Amino acid sequence: MNQERIFKVLLGPHMTEKATLLADEKNQYVFKVATDATKLEIKKAVEKLFDVKVNAVSVINAKSKTRRTLHGLGRRKGFRKAMVSLAEGQAIDFADAE
């Protein structure tokens, strides 16, 4: 996998309360990923970018939400997120990732 594809697969970390609890308790990290990314591509991208060993990858499609606006109904954009389980003793520090 080339360097350009890595940055197209991983769009960024998805930081929520639930994602923080998963990182602390189960050693799982959540990323927003491209809609055409496969589990194998996500695994290789995380391993190459952060120098960690990935055990498993779960992918979730988050549906778009309907919102009421001044001009009628509109829709937010949906996205895809990946939950990455790391090996025992591995961790990702997003502050040091740059």
Side-chain angles (χ1 to χ4, degrees):
M1 177 182 288
N2 60 5
Q3 193 73 11
E4 185 178 325
R5 181 63 182 158
I6 289 174
F7 292 115
K8 287 185 179 179
V9 169
L10 294 178
L11 301 178
H14 186 69
M15 301 304 292
T16 60
E17 288 182 42
K18 185 175 182 178
T20 306
L21 288 174
L22 283 174
D24 291 340
E25 296 173 2
K26 295 187 178 182
N27 206 20
Q28 291 181 342
Y29 295 89
V30 183
F31 295 93
K32 283 190 178 180
V33 295
T35 56
D36 62 341
T38 63
K39 289 183 179 184
L40 186 60
E41 283 181 330
I42 295 166
K43 178 180 178 178
K44 287 181 180 179
V46 171
E47 286 179 344
K48 199 172 216 184
L49 195 61
F50 296 106
D51 292 326
V52 293
K53 175 75 173 102
V54 175
N55 283 343
V57 176
S58 299
V59 180
I60 301 164
N61 290 322
K63 301 286 184 184
S64 60
K65 294 182 179 180
T66 304
R67 292 287 178 228
R68 184 180 307 272
T69 65
L70 180 65
H71 304 290
L73 293 177
R75 292 186 72 88
R76 282 191 182 171
K77 202 171 185 185
F79 60 94
R80 185 173 169 121
K81 61 184 175 180
M83 296 171 60
V84 178
S85 299
L86 299 183
E88 194 68 33
Q90 301 273 322
I92 295 176
D93 187 13
F94 293 112
D96 293 337
E98 296 176 12

